[in-house]
Amino acid sequence: MITKIWSKEDLNDAAAVIKAGELVSFPTETVYGLGADATNNEAVSQVYLAKGRPSDNPLIVHLAQQTEVAKYVTEIPAIAEKLMAHFWPGPLTLIFKANKAALAPLVTAGLDSVAIRIPDNQITRDFIRACGVPLVGPSANTSGKPSPTSATHVYHDLAGKIAGILDDGETGVGLESTVVDVTNPDKLVILRPGAISQEEIEQTLGIIMNMDQYLVNQEAQPKAPGMKYQHYSPNEPVILIKQAEDWQAAIDYYQAKGEKIGLLANQSIVSLYENQIVASYDLGQAGDIETAGRKLYGGLRYFSETPATLILAEAFSKKGFGEAVMNRLEKAAGFHYFKRG
């Protein structure tokens, strides 16, 4: 299969491919999604096949407008209405009780719930309208690897496996959406942190949120994407560095073990140690967590093109958007932090 690259002028061509039951990667403000008709079970099965994704992992349904939500759920709690009004379109996914008859069985992975969002990208919403059907849209990458934030990343992982890619440049947020379970309105739970923080949701609703641990083991079925322990992982092992004084110790330790070190950190740290390592990727200025999040997946992917055999990565504060950044980094590293001695 030849994977085509389309621009926004080719929306109708890309939509025709979706209608024919094939796969198209599309941009969003978070990461690039792998689109298929969410009402076509055969098309959805090809998403799992192309990604190498376990079929017990449910998919997020992407819609063009809020009025469509009622078709695919059995109820919309008042508290969900408030979240939708405040944050949609945007990087927020809500999990509702599913109207399973309206969706392909594989979308919900056997669960009684469905995850839905409306992306904050006009091209994406126009594309969904042109398709005339809801789209599943898991990240358009090999399952478990860093998500794609550009059409180039998608092509690297899925060329020859999908019909085409709708190219809209690099994504703005760079991390997947925040996922909130609203199936029990009296006990809202964040299943995956993202650009919309717990604090923002609490301020909007005037309540204190319940926090999930964001994890299930490798055998258990997740209720939302990205909840497995090992996820977002590059080919090289990742070790997190928490304390500033640990950078030199970690470089010395792993070089003594024969590792070729890659550094994933802010500009100041990279400039301090770049003469001692084989590769580096800066995540922006120190303290700029939004830039770090936007560049994170590109950085994790970068090292596969270098001699690096191990990545030392900066650990960030878990305040605000840092919660989402560290959620991805800890899973990429398998929660491995450098410890002296």
Side-chain angles (χ1 to χ4, degrees):
M1 179 185 292
I2 297 175
T3 299
K4 296 181 179 179
I5 306 294
W6 289 299
S7 69
K8 63 182 179 180
E9 284 75 26
D10 305 311
L11 280 181
N12 289 333
D13 292 337
V17 170
I18 290 288
K19 293 174 184 178
E22 297 186 67
L23 309 185
V24 174
S25 175
F26 60 89
T28 75
E29 78 280 24
T30 56
V31 300
Y32 274 71
L34 182 53
D37 179 352
T39 68
N40 182 335
N41 210 51
E42 177 57 32
V44 176
S45 74
Q46 295 304 307
V47 171
Y48 287 102
L49 185 63
K51 283 177 59 67
R53 181 187 179 103
S55 59
D56 69 344
N57 205 348
L59 302 173
I60 295 173
V61 175
H62 292 65
L63 302 177
Q65 56 196 38
Q66 190 171 322
T67 54
E68 298 174 327
V69 174
K71 300 177 188 177
Y72 306 106
V73 306
T74 59
E75 62 177 307
I76 303 176
I79 204 162
E81 293 270 14
K82 194 168 185 178
L83 290 171
M84 293 156 64
H86 193 84
F87 292 111
W88 279 3
L92 176 69
T93 294
L94 299 178
I95 296 182
F96 299 91
K97 294 177 181 177
N99 175 12
K100 298 177 76 171
L103 296 163
L106 283 171
V107 172
T108 58
L111 298 172
D112 292 327
S113 58
V114 61
I116 296 178
R117 92 174 183 100
I118 299 177
D120 188 15
N121 181 306
Q122 188 63 51
I123 291 174
T124 305
R125 297 197 301 277
D126 289 345
F127 176 55
I128 297 170
R129 290 188 184 96
C131 292
V133 292
L135 299 183
V136 295
S139 55
N141 61 310
T142 301
S143 186
K145 296 301 179 182
S147 299
T149 55
S150 71
T152 301
H153 294 163
V154 179
Y155 194 86
H156 177 274
D157 283 17
L158 300 180
K161 297 180 180 180
I162 65 175
I165 304 166
L166 187 57
D167 188 355
D168 187 38
E170 294 189 357
T171 61
V173 175
L175 298 182
E176 297 84 353
S177 59
T178 304
V179 178
V180 177
D181 185 350
V182 297
T183 56
N184 182 351
D186 296 324
K187 190 179 180 182
L188 297 189
V189 178
I190 296 177
L191 297 181
R192 182 179 71 186
I196 296 174
S197 68
Q198 177 187 0
E199 292 80 8
E200 289 177 279
I201 296 171
E202 289 177 339
Q203 288 172 8
T204 300
L205 298 178
I207 64 172
I208 300 298
M209 290 286 292
N210 295 289
M211 297 296 292
D212 189 81
Q213 77 277 20
Y214 314 137
L215 297 169
V216 295
N217 63 38
Q218 293 302 107
E219 290 72 38
Q221 183 178 19
K223 197 170 185 179
M227 293 180 69
K228 294 288 188 179
Y229 281 100
Q230 193 78 17
H231 214 74
Y232 318 111
S233 301
N235 295 327
E236 303 76 24
V238 178
I239 306 295
L240 294 170
I241 308 297
K242 199 168 189 176
Q243 305 295 334
E245 60 269 21
D246 287 341
W247 284 102
Q248 188 63 62
I251 291 170
D252 293 343
Y253 174 78
Y254 288 110
Q255 285 181 338
K257 294 174 73 68
E259 300 285 1
K260 297 178 180 178
I261 307 297
L263 215 60
L264 182 66
N266 72 62
Q267 292 173 355
S268 298
I269 292 172
V270 166
S271 64
L272 196 59
Y273 298 106
E274 61 185 350
N275 292 331
Q276 302 181 47
I277 56 177
V278 299
S280 63
Y281 190 97
D282 84 71
L283 295 175
Q285 297 181 356
D288 185 352
I289 194 64
E290 284 74 22
T291 297
R294 187 172 65 251
K295 298 181 71 174
L296 178 62
Y297 288 145
L300 288 171
R301 285 174 169 269
Y302 167 77
F303 293 98
S304 64
E305 308 297 328
T306 76
T309 60
L310 180 128
I311 302 168
L312 298 181
E314 179 181 4
F316 298 90
S317 164
K318 292 185 178 181
K319 182 179 180 180
F321 188 43
E323 180 79 21
V325 174
M326 286 307 300
N327 171 265
R328 281 31 170 215
L329 265 174
E330 287 186 329
K331 289 178 183 176
F335 292 83
H336 293 141
Y337 283 82
F338 176 71
K339 295 181 181 178
R340 292 172 179 261

PDB file of all heavy atoms in Angstrom, residues 317-341:
ATOM      1  N   SER A 317       8.313  19.096  37.791  1.00  0.00           N
ATOM      2  CA  SER A 317       7.292  19.212  38.825  1.00  0.00           C
ATOM      3  C   SER A 317       5.962  18.726  38.271  1.00  0.00           C
ATOM      4  O   SER A 317       5.639  18.951  37.099  1.00  0.00           O
ATOM      5  CB  SER A 317       7.162  20.677  39.275  1.00  0.00           C
ATOM      6  OG  SER A 317       5.952  20.877  39.980  1.00  0.00           O
ATOM      7  N   LYS A 318       5.153  18.082  39.113  1.00  0.00           N
ATOM      8  CA  LYS A 318       3.854  17.572  38.682  1.00  0.00           C
ATOM      9  C   LYS A 318       2.732  18.588  38.884  1.00  0.00           C
ATOM     10  O   LYS A 318       1.556  18.219  38.909  1.00  0.00           O
ATOM     11  CB  LYS A 318       3.544  16.271  39.412  1.00  0.00           C
ATOM     12  CG  LYS A 318       4.451  15.119  39.012  1.00  0.00           C
ATOM     13  CD  LYS A 318       4.028  13.817  39.668  1.00  0.00           C
ATOM     14  CE  LYS A 318       4.926  12.663  39.218  1.00  0.00           C
ATOM     15  NZ  LYS A 318       4.505  11.375  39.821  1.00  0.00           N
ATOM     16  N   LYS A 319       3.070  19.839  38.974  1.00  0.00           N
ATOM     17  CA  LYS A 319       2.066  20.883  39.133  1.00  0.00           C
ATOM     18  C   LYS A 319       1.482  21.254  37.773  1.00  0.00           C
ATOM     19  O   LYS A 319       2.211  21.407  36.796  1.00  0.00           O
ATOM     20  CB  LYS A 319       2.683  22.114  39.792  1.00  0.00           C
ATOM     21  CG  LYS A 319       1.695  23.244  40.046  1.00  0.00           C
ATOM     22  CD  LYS A 319       2.378  24.420  40.734  1.00  0.00           C
ATOM     23  CE  LYS A 319       1.398  25.555  40.985  1.00  0.00           C
ATOM     24  NZ  LYS A 319       2.036  26.717  41.643  1.00  0.00           N
ATOM     25  N   GLY A 320       0.155  21.411  37.681  1.00  0.00           N
ATOM     26  CA  GLY A 320      -0.493  21.835  36.446  1.00  0.00           C
ATOM     27  C   GLY A 320      -0.235  20.883  35.302  1.00  0.00           C
ATOM     28  O   GLY A 320      -0.409  19.670  35.419  1.00  0.00           O
ATOM     29  N   PHE A 321       0.193  21.437  34.159  1.00  0.00           N
ATOM     30  CA  PHE A 321       0.486  20.641  32.966  1.00  0.00           C
ATOM     31  C   PHE A 321       1.634  19.666  33.210  1.00  0.00           C
ATOM     32  O   PHE A 321       1.763  18.659  32.520  1.00  0.00           O
ATOM     33  CB  PHE A 321       0.805  21.574  31.793  1.00  0.00           C
ATOM     34  CG  PHE A 321       0.932  20.898  30.456  1.00  0.00           C
ATOM     35  CD1 PHE A 321       0.037  19.912  30.063  1.00  0.00           C
ATOM     36  CD2 PHE A 321       1.943  21.263  29.585  1.00  0.00           C
ATOM     37  CE1 PHE A 321       0.150  19.297  28.815  1.00  0.00           C
ATOM     38  CE2 PHE A 321       2.066  20.666  28.341  1.00  0.00           C
ATOM     39  CZ  PHE A 321       1.164  19.685  27.951  1.00  0.00           C
ATOM     40  N   GLY A 322       2.452  19.951  34.226  1.00  0.00           N
ATOM     41  CA  GLY A 322       3.543  19.042  34.569  1.00  0.00           C
ATOM     42  C   GLY A 322       3.057  17.655  34.952  1.00  0.00           C
ATOM     43  O   GLY A 322       3.772  16.660  34.785  1.00  0.00           O
ATOM     44  N   GLU A 323       1.829  17.573  35.469  1.00  0.00           N
ATOM     45  CA  GLU A 323       1.231  16.268  35.797  1.00  0.00           C
ATOM     46  C   GLU A 323       1.130  15.402  34.548  1.00  0.00           C
ATOM     47  O   GLU A 323       1.449  14.209  34.565  1.00  0.00           O
ATOM     48  CB  GLU A 323      -0.150  16.472  36.411  1.00  0.00           C
ATOM     49  CG  GLU A 323      -0.854  15.196  36.793  1.00  0.00           C
ATOM     50  CD  GLU A 323      -0.371  14.600  38.104  1.00  0.00           C
ATOM     51  OE1 GLU A 323       0.213  15.333  38.921  1.00  0.00           O
ATOM     52  OE2 GLU A 323      -0.596  13.394  38.310  1.00  0.00           O
ATOM     53  N   ALA A 324       0.692  16.003  33.435  1.00  0.00           N
ATOM     54  CA  ALA A 324       0.561  15.260  32.178  1.00  0.00           C
ATOM     55  C   ALA A 324       1.928  14.904  31.596  1.00  0.00           C
ATOM     56  O   ALA A 324       2.146  13.789  31.116  1.00  0.00           O
ATOM     57  CB  ALA A 324      -0.239  16.077  31.171  1.00  0.00           C
ATOM     58  N   VAL A 325       2.856  15.864  31.636  1.00  0.00           N
ATOM     59  CA  VAL A 325       4.201  15.601  31.107  1.00  0.00           C
ATOM     60  C   VAL A 325       4.861  14.451  31.860  1.00  0.00           C
ATOM     61  O   VAL A 325       5.420  13.530  31.259  1.00  0.00           O
ATOM     62  CB  VAL A 325       5.070  16.876  31.182  1.00  0.00           C
ATOM     63  CG1 VAL A 325       6.515  16.569  30.775  1.00  0.00           C
ATOM     64  CG2 VAL A 325       4.500  17.970  30.284  1.00  0.00           C
ATOM     65  N   MET A 326       4.765  14.473  33.174  1.00  0.00           N
ATOM     66  CA  MET A 326       5.391  13.411  33.972  1.00  0.00           C
ATOM     67  C   MET A 326       4.643  12.091  33.852  1.00  0.00           C
ATOM     68  O   MET A 326       5.250  11.017  33.957  1.00  0.00           O
ATOM     69  CB  MET A 326       5.497  13.844  35.432  1.00  0.00           C
ATOM     70  CG  MET A 326       6.584  14.882  35.677  1.00  0.00           C
ATOM     71  SD  MET A 326       8.208  14.355  35.031  1.00  0.00           S
ATOM     72  CE  MET A 326       8.486  12.852  35.978  1.00  0.00           C
ATOM     73  N   ASN A 327       3.351  12.123  33.627  1.00  0.00           N
ATOM     74  CA  ASN A 327       2.603  10.895  33.367  1.00  0.00           C
ATOM     75  C   ASN A 327       3.206  10.168  32.161  1.00  0.00           C
ATOM     76  O   ASN A 327       3.419   8.945  32.183  1.00  0.00           O
ATOM     77  CB  ASN A 327       1.136  11.239  33.110  1.00  0.00           C
ATOM     78  CG  ASN A 327       0.321  10.064  32.613  1.00  0.00           C
ATOM     79  OD1 ASN A 327       0.154   9.904  31.409  1.00  0.00           O
ATOM     80  ND2 ASN A 327      -0.178   9.249  33.529  1.00  0.00           N
ATOM     81  N   ARG A 328       3.503  10.920  31.090  1.00  0.00           N
ATOM     82  CA  ARG A 328       4.086  10.312  29.890  1.00  0.00           C
ATOM     83  C   ARG A 328       5.535   9.905  30.117  1.00  0.00           C
ATOM     84  O   ARG A 328       5.955   8.815  29.720  1.00  0.00           O
ATOM     85  CB  ARG A 328       4.016  11.289  28.727  1.00  0.00           C
ATOM     86  CG  ARG A 328       2.698  11.442  27.991  1.00  0.00           C
ATOM     87  CD  ARG A 328       1.443  11.244  28.755  1.00  0.00           C
ATOM     88  NE  ARG A 328       0.267  11.658  27.992  1.00  0.00           N
ATOM     89  CZ  ARG A 328      -0.783  12.217  28.536  1.00  0.00           C
ATOM     90  NH1 ARG A 328      -0.832  12.468  29.843  1.00  0.00           N
ATOM     91  NH2 ARG A 328      -1.827  12.527  27.803  1.00  0.00           N
ATOM     92  N   LEU A 329       6.301  10.759  30.773  1.00  0.00           N
ATOM     93  CA  LEU A 329       7.720  10.453  30.980  1.00  0.00           C
ATOM     94  C   LEU A 329       7.914   9.246  31.894  1.00  0.00           C
ATOM     95  O   LEU A 329       8.769   8.398  31.640  1.00  0.00           O
ATOM     96  CB  LEU A 329       8.432  11.673  31.568  1.00  0.00           C
ATOM     97  CG  LEU A 329       9.120  12.605  30.578  1.00  0.00           C
ATOM     98  CD1 LEU A 329       9.652  13.844  31.295  1.00  0.00           C
ATOM     99  CD2 LEU A 329      10.254  11.898  29.841  1.00  0.00           C
ATOM    100  N   GLU A 330       7.139   9.171  32.958  1.00  0.00           N
ATOM    101  CA  GLU A 330       7.287   8.040  33.877  1.00  0.00           C
ATOM    102  C   GLU A 330       6.931   6.725  33.197  1.00  0.00           C
ATOM    103  O   GLU A 330       7.585   5.695  33.419  1.00  0.00           O
ATOM    104  CB  GLU A 330       6.443   8.251  35.133  1.00  0.00           C
ATOM    105  CG  GLU A 330       7.017   9.307  36.070  1.00  0.00           C
ATOM    106  CD  GLU A 330       6.258   9.420  37.379  1.00  0.00           C
ATOM    107  OE1 GLU A 330       5.030   9.178  37.398  1.00  0.00           O
ATOM    108  OE2 GLU A 330       6.898   9.772  38.399  1.00  0.00           O
ATOM    109  N   LYS A 331       5.913   6.745  32.348  1.00  0.00           N
ATOM    110  CA  LYS A 331       5.558   5.522  31.630  1.00  0.00           C
ATOM    111  C   LYS A 331       6.605   5.184  30.571  1.00  0.00           C
ATOM    112  O   LYS A 331       6.923   4.013  30.354  1.00  0.00           O
ATOM    113  CB  LYS A 331       4.174   5.659  31.019  1.00  0.00           C
ATOM    114  CG  LYS A 331       3.074   5.638  32.058  1.00  0.00           C
ATOM    115  CD  LYS A 331       1.711   5.828  31.443  1.00  0.00           C
ATOM    116  CE  LYS A 331       0.651   5.869  32.530  1.00  0.00           C
ATOM    117  NZ  LYS A 331      -0.688   6.145  31.988  1.00  0.00           N
ATOM    118  N   ALA A 332       7.147   6.215  29.904  1.00  0.00           N
ATOM    119  CA  ALA A 332       8.208   5.967  28.923  1.00  0.00           C
ATOM    120  C   ALA A 332       9.426   5.333  29.586  1.00  0.00           C
ATOM    121  O   ALA A 332      10.123   4.504  28.997  1.00  0.00           O
ATOM    122  CB  ALA A 332       8.607   7.277  28.242  1.00  0.00           C
ATOM    123  N   ALA A 333       9.673   5.727  30.833  1.00  0.00           N
ATOM    124  CA  ALA A 333      10.842   5.230  31.571  1.00  0.00           C
ATOM    125  C   ALA A 333      10.530   3.983  32.388  1.00  0.00           C
ATOM    126  O   ALA A 333      11.432   3.451  33.053  1.00  0.00           O
ATOM    127  CB  ALA A 333      11.365   6.329  32.499  1.00  0.00           C
ATOM    128  N   GLY A 334       9.274   3.543  32.367  1.00  0.00           N
ATOM    129  CA  GLY A 334       8.919   2.419  33.237  1.00  0.00           C
ATOM    130  C   GLY A 334       9.129   2.768  34.706  1.00  0.00           C
ATOM    131  O   GLY A 334       9.409   1.903  35.534  1.00  0.00           O
ATOM    132  N   PHE A 335       9.018   4.075  35.032  1.00  0.00           N
ATOM    133  CA  PHE A 335       9.177   4.602  36.391  1.00  0.00           C
ATOM    134  C   PHE A 335      10.593   4.408  36.938  1.00  0.00           C
ATOM    135  O   PHE A 335      10.799   4.355  38.150  1.00  0.00           O
ATOM    136  CB  PHE A 335       8.149   3.964  37.350  1.00  0.00           C
ATOM    137  CG  PHE A 335       6.742   4.386  37.035  1.00  0.00           C
ATOM    138  CD1 PHE A 335       6.018   3.735  36.052  1.00  0.00           C
ATOM    139  CD2 PHE A 335       6.154   5.452  37.688  1.00  0.00           C
ATOM    140  CE1 PHE A 335       4.722   4.135  35.715  1.00  0.00           C
ATOM    141  CE2 PHE A 335       4.856   5.858  37.380  1.00  0.00           C
ATOM    142  CZ  PHE A 335       4.150   5.193  36.396  1.00  0.00           C
ATOM    143  N   HIS A 336      11.579   4.351  36.069  1.00  0.00           N
ATOM    144  CA  HIS A 336      12.966   4.203  36.493  1.00  0.00           C
ATOM    145  C   HIS A 336      13.607   5.565  36.714  1.00  0.00           C
ATOM    146  O   HIS A 336      13.778   6.343  35.765  1.00  0.00           O
ATOM    147  CB  HIS A 336      13.767   3.413  35.464  1.00  0.00           C
ATOM    148  CG  HIS A 336      13.351   1.980  35.352  1.00  0.00           C
ATOM    149  ND1 HIS A 336      13.273   1.308  34.153  1.00  0.00           N
ATOM    150  CD2 HIS A 336      12.965   1.099  36.299  1.00  0.00           C
ATOM    151  CE1 HIS A 336      12.860   0.071  34.363  1.00  0.00           C
ATOM    152  NE2 HIS A 336      12.661  -0.075  35.655  1.00  0.00           N
ATOM    153  N   TYR A 337      13.948   5.863  37.960  1.00  0.00           N
ATOM    154  CA  TYR A 337      14.687   7.071  38.329  1.00  0.00           C
ATOM    155  C   TYR A 337      16.110   6.688  38.698  1.00  0.00           C
ATOM    156  O   TYR A 337      16.355   5.603  39.253  1.00  0.00           O
ATOM    157  CB  TYR A 337      14.036   7.750  39.538  1.00  0.00           C
ATOM    158  CG  TYR A 337      12.783   8.538  39.233  1.00  0.00           C
ATOM    159  CD1 TYR A 337      11.548   7.915  39.124  1.00  0.00           C
ATOM    160  CD2 TYR A 337      12.838   9.933  39.058  1.00  0.00           C
ATOM    161  CE1 TYR A 337      10.387   8.633  38.856  1.00  0.00           C
ATOM    162  CE2 TYR A 337      11.683  10.662  38.798  1.00  0.00           C
ATOM    163  CZ  TYR A 337      10.468  10.011  38.705  1.00  0.00           C
ATOM    164  OH  TYR A 337       9.326  10.731  38.446  1.00  0.00           O
ATOM    165  N   PHE A 338      17.051   7.586  38.401  1.00  0.00           N
ATOM    166  CA  PHE A 338      18.434   7.353  38.816  1.00  0.00           C
ATOM    167  C   PHE A 338      18.558   7.540  40.323  1.00  0.00           C
ATOM    168  O   PHE A 338      18.038   8.501  40.886  1.00  0.00           O
ATOM    169  CB  PHE A 338      19.375   8.340  38.115  1.00  0.00           C
ATOM    170  CG  PHE A 338      20.809   8.232  38.570  1.00  0.00           C
ATOM    171  CD1 PHE A 338      21.580   7.135  38.218  1.00  0.00           C
ATOM    172  CD2 PHE A 338      21.373   9.200  39.391  1.00  0.00           C
ATOM    173  CE1 PHE A 338      22.894   7.019  38.649  1.00  0.00           C
ATOM    174  CE2 PHE A 338      22.674   9.102  39.813  1.00  0.00           C
ATOM    175  CZ  PHE A 338      23.440   8.009  39.446  1.00  0.00           C
ATOM    176  N   LYS A 339      19.221   6.575  40.948  1.00  0.00           N
ATOM    177  CA  LYS A 339      19.473   6.643  42.385  1.00  0.00           C
ATOM    178  C   LYS A 339      20.949   6.411  42.640  1.00  0.00           C
ATOM    179  O   LYS A 339      21.519   5.431  42.159  1.00  0.00           O
ATOM    180  CB  LYS A 339      18.636   5.610  43.141  1.00  0.00           C
ATOM    181  CG  LYS A 339      17.132   5.855  43.059  1.00  0.00           C
ATOM    182  CD  LYS A 339      16.356   4.814  43.836  1.00  0.00           C
ATOM    183  CE  LYS A 339      14.851   5.057  43.737  1.00  0.00           C
ATOM    184  NZ  LYS A 339      14.074   4.008  44.458  1.00  0.00           N
ATOM    185  N   ARG A 340      21.554   7.299  43.399  1.00  0.00           N
ATOM    186  CA  ARG A 340      22.967   7.127  43.747  1.00  0.00           C
ATOM    187  C   ARG A 340      23.153   5.893  44.625  1.00  0.00           C
ATOM    188  O   ARG A 340      22.316   5.565  45.442  1.00  0.00           O
ATOM    189  CB  ARG A 340      23.481   8.349  44.522  1.00  0.00           C
ATOM    190  CG  ARG A 340      23.566   9.624  43.691  1.00  0.00           C
ATOM    191  CD  ARG A 340      23.899  10.797  44.598  1.00  0.00           C
ATOM    192  NE  ARG A 340      24.005  12.035  43.851  1.00  0.00           N
ATOM    193  CZ  ARG A 340      25.145  12.574  43.455  1.00  0.00           C
ATOM    194  NH1 ARG A 340      26.296  11.967  43.722  1.00  0.00           N
ATOM    195  NH2 ARG A 340      25.160  13.716  42.800  1.00  0.00           N
ATOM    196  N   GLY A 341      24.303   5.260  44.409  1.00  0.00           N
ATOM    197  CA  GLY A 341      24.645   4.100  45.254  1.00  0.00           C
ATOM    198  C   GLY A 341      23.903   2.860  44.894  1.00  0.00           C
ATOM    199  O   GLY A 341      23.908   1.899  45.614  1.00  0.00           O
TER     200      GLY A 341
END
